[in-house]
Amino acid sequence: MLRPPLVRKSWRDDRRAVLGWAVGVTAFTLIYAGFYPQFKSAAELKQDALPQGMLDFLGVAEMVSPAGYLQASIFGFLGPVLVLLCAVTLIARTIPRPEEDGGMELLLTVPVSRTRFARQRLAAAGAAATGVAALPGILLMILVPAIDMDIPMANVAAASVGLILLTWCFGGIAFLTGAVTGRRASVLAVTGAIGVATYMANAFSDMSDAVDWLRWLSPFHYFIGTDPLHTGWHPGHLLLLVAVGAVTTVAGVILFDRRDVGV
């Protein structure tokens, strides 16, 4: 299939970064999931040692069962942090990097409209980020039955797709920020601040009924708050993540088309 020239160029430019993130996420998933039989005893000790308030903050009901262990180790914190960092870093290269490095003028000489330029750059970064975010799910589809973890594969698929859609949600926010500001630092700062704030909102909502409403403001609730490894698919929650990613992406393309671009 013939790929647009800006997509091919973006993939050539980002191939080392994408490969590095893919290797890191693969190693992380293999180590934590593949050694579950060996880590199970440590997980029991860790669960006994942690106060219930800390477990609530981490969004982990228990860490001993296969589903509880995967939620605590893969989907609860480190997994989302890795794939979101990858996505935000790659998307910060779509518009802000050439604008800051002075290469935007050359890129805009390609005979495409500004909106098509933005779409092709985003398509390249989005496809790479989606591929990296899909790795934990792909590997778990092999590891879960191989090491006899008692989790329905449909539930593993639900959590894995949720991780991808969480990446789309924050990827859209990152793209909108980059399209408006043209600055990588702004993309990292704004997306990082929103990520931390909404993660904390979801965590604190599990600790007190007085702030229970905060969970509805957090993308992390729509990703993992429904405990998909135990309860399976929640299409409404997942569609909301898609909607946030789509709206912010479209807004980013429109605002980039109207903005004075530094060349």
Side-chain angles (χ1 to χ4, degrees):
M1 184 175 66
L2 184 63
R3 300 180 182 86
L6 287 174
V7 172
R8 295 198 303 271
K9 173 173 173 45
S10 298
W11 283 346
R12 281 198 306 272
D13 293 344
D14 296 341
R15 62 186 185 280
R16 292 186 180 84
V18 174
L19 179 61
W21 281 109
V23 170
V25 170
T26 297
F28 160 77
T29 306
L30 289 175
I31 291 171
Y32 274 93
F35 288 92
Y36 167 69
Q38 290 75 20
F39 287 167
K40 185 178 179 181
S41 298
E44 291 175 351
L45 293 175
K46 190 173 182 180
Q47 178 172 305
D48 293 339
L50 290 174
Q52 186 59 44
M54 180 59 72
L55 292 174
D56 292 339
F57 180 80
L58 295 173
V60 178
E62 49 83 21
M63 303 171 66
V64 178
S65 72
Y69 175 80
L70 286 186
Q71 177 155 333
S73 60
I74 304 291
F75 294 104
F77 181 72
L78 285 178
V81 167
L82 287 175
V83 298
L84 291 182
L85 280 174
C86 169
V88 172
T89 302
L90 292 176
I91 289 174
R93 296 170 177 236
T94 56
I95 293 174
R97 187 176 72 171
E99 195 166 348
E100 288 182 335
D101 295 348
M104 183 64 82
E105 184 177 13
L106 178 61
L107 288 174
L108 289 179
T109 59
V110 177
V112 298
S113 66
R114 241 200 227 192
T115 56
R116 182 170 294 181
F117 167 87
R119 290 201 305 268
Q120 290 186 14
R121 294 281 290 177
L122 178 63
T130 299
V132 173
L135 285 173
I138 294 170
L139 293 169
L140 289 176
M141 288 294 174
I142 300 170
L143 290 172
V144 165
I147 59 179
D148 200 24
M149 299 179 84
D150 185 20
I151 311 174
M153 297 307 291
N155 294 5
V156 176
S160 302
V161 169
L163 184 60
I164 294 172
L165 299 185
L166 183 74
T167 304
W168 288 9
C169 174
F170 280 98
I173 294 170
F175 179 74
L176 173 60
T177 306
V180 170
T181 66
R183 294 289 178 268
R184 280 176 290 185
S186 298
V187 173
L188 299 176
V190 171
T191 312
I194 293 174
V196 171
T198 55
Y199 180 87
M200 298 291 284
N202 185 54
F204 283 122
S205 71
D206 289 333
M207 301 176 66
S208 171
D209 292 339
V211 293
D212 180 69
W213 56 273
L214 285 174
R215 71 182 58 196
W216 304 111
L217 305 177
S218 173
F220 291 94
H221 170 70
Y222 300 100
F223 156 51
I224 202 69
T226 54
D227 195 6
L229 287 168
H230 286 104
T231 62
W233 291 88
H234 296 268
H237 289 67
L238 298 180
L239 286 174
L240 190 60
L241 294 175
V242 174
V244 172
V247 168
T248 49
T249 296
V250 171
V253 172
I254 294 172
L255 293 174
F256 173 68
D257 186 45
R258 296 177 178 177
R259 182 169 65 85
D260 288 333
V261 177
V263 295

